Amino acid sequence: MPHVPAVLSPRRKSRQIRVGDVLVGGDAPVTVQSMTTTPTTDINATLQQIAKLTAAGCDIVRVAVPSQDDADALPIIARKSRIPVIADIHFQPKYVFQAIDAGCGAVRVNPGNIRQFDDKVGEIARAAKDAGVSLRIGVNAGSLDKRLLEKYGTATPEALVESAVWEASLFEEHDFHDFKISVKHHDPVMMVKAYRLLAERGDWPLHLGVTEAGPALQGTVKSATAFGILLGEGIGDTIRVSLSAPPVEEVKVGLQILQSLGLRERTLEIVSCPSCGRAQVDVYTLAESVTEGLKDLTVPLRVAVMGCVVNGPGEAREADLGVASGNGKGQIFVKGEVIRTVPEAEIVETLIAEANRIAAEMGPD
Ligand code: SF4
C-alpha cells in the first residue's frame, strides 16, 4: 500500500476562485506556482520554460509583463501553455485589459498603484468578471505604500495586512470578489505573522510566498519553514517558492513541501539513513544512485536505503521496497518480505528493476 500521510490541521475555510481551469481555495488541493525567468517577449523560450515547469508538476505559471511588447506576447503564450498563465502587472491598467483579453487565467495586480496613477479599478473589476478571470493582489514588503511605511515605520505584518485589506476593499467596492491575496516578506517570521493576521480578516484565498528568499539552500529552508508553519495551521491555498535558481527547482521544492505536509500525494519518497560509524556501505552514493535512477517514476513509492542491519531491516520492511546493507551484501525487501540477497555491486540495479516492476504493476498514475 502506498503511504497515505495525515495532515496537521484542517484547512482554513477560504472562498474558491478559478485560475483558468485550476481551482484555488475552498476544498481545492493546494497548488504550486512558479514564474518564468525568460523575457516574456521571447515567446518560444518562455513556452519552452513553461513546458519544463509543467513536466515538473507546476500547476500555474506567472509571467512578467513590464512592457507593451510583453503584453503583446500574452495571447500566444496563454493559448499554447498547458497550465494557466498569470500576467504579472504593476502599474499599467492597459496591460491588465490586454491580459484579460489574451486568455490569461489571472492577473497579478496592485489596485493601489492603479488607483494612484489612473483610477481604472472599477473597469478592471468589470472586465475580469465578464471574462471569468481572477486577480491576485500582491502586497510586498519591498514595495509597500509610502503612507503605510510612514504610519508603521517599516513593513511590519500589520502594515502588510492593512495594505492588503485596503486593496481588497477597492475591488470589493465594485462587488468583485474573485481574487486571492499575498502578503510577502523576505523574513519568514514577519511573513508568517502577516498571513496569520490576514487569515483572520476575511475568507480570501491566500497565495503564500517568502519573497527574495535567496539562493537555493537558504530559499528552500526559509520557504519550507514558513509554509510548513502556515500550511500546518491550515493557512494557504497556493504556494510559490522563490529561489535564485532555475524555476523548475522552485516547483520541486514546492511539491516536496506539500508532500511532506500530507497535502499532496507522495510520489517517489526515498527513506535513506544519514549513515554513521556502523555503516557497512557508502549510503550517500547508494541513495543518490537510487534517487537518480528513479527520478522519472511518478507513482507513489517509498524506497528505503539503509546502511546497516541495525535499523535497516525495520525501515526496509516498512517501505514498499528497501535494502538493508551489510557484509558486502544487500538484503532486498519488497512489501516487508526479503525477496533476495544480492552482492553490494548489484544493489542499485536490483532496486531500480524492482521499483520499475512494482510501478508497472500499479499501472499509470
Ligand atoms: Fe547508522 Fe545503520 Fe542507522 Fe544507517 S541504518 S544510520 S548505518 S545505524
Side-chain angles (χ1 to χ4, degrees), residues 209-286:
V210 178
T211 193
E212 290 104 32
L217 175 64
Q218 183 182 297
T220 299
V221 173
K222 277 185 169 184
S223 300
T225 305
F227 295 3
I229 293 168
L230 290 167
L231 292 167
E233 294 171 4
I235 297 172
D237 300 289
T238 183
I239 63 171
R240 191 256 171 128
V241 174
S242 298
L243 300 179
S244 303
V248 163
E249 297 306 310
E250 299 185 346
V251 173
K252 287 185 189 165
V253 173
L255 287 169
Q256 282 286 328
I257 293 172
L258 295 186
Q259 289 184 14
S260 301
L261 291 164
L263 293 168
R264 193 56 85 101
E265 187 180 36
R266 291 189 173 141
T267 49
L268 176 65
E269 186 186 3
I270 303 284
V271 181
S272 57
C273 81
S275 188
C276 73
R278 290 189 202 90
Q280 294 173 352
V281 69
D282 179 354
V283 179
Y284 303 158
T285 306
L286 197 56

Side-chain angles (χ1 to χ4, degrees), residues 99-175:
I100 291 170
D101 290 343
C104 289
V107 183
R108 180 268 170 106
V109 71
N110 286 72
N113 291 342
I114 282 167
R115 196 170 91 146
Q116 201 179 335
F117 294 98
D118 183 2
D119 188 8
K120 289 199 179 291
V121 176
E123 273 181 57
I124 290 174
R126 258 191 311 284
K129 193 183 253 178
D130 290 346
V133 169
S134 62
L135 304 174
R136 166 160 72 95
I137 296 174
V139 174
N140 201 315
S143 55
L144 195 64
D145 199 278
K146 258 208 212 119
R147 181 176 56 89
L148 290 165
L149 276 179
E150 275 162 25
K151 177 173 170 187
Y152 288 94
T154 177
T156 61
E158 291 77 11
L160 293 174
V161 171
E162 186 171 329
S163 175
V165 172
W166 173 67
E167 301 220 15
S169 75
L170 297 178
F171 282 127
E172 287 161 347
E173 277 168 15
H174 295 281
D175 198 25

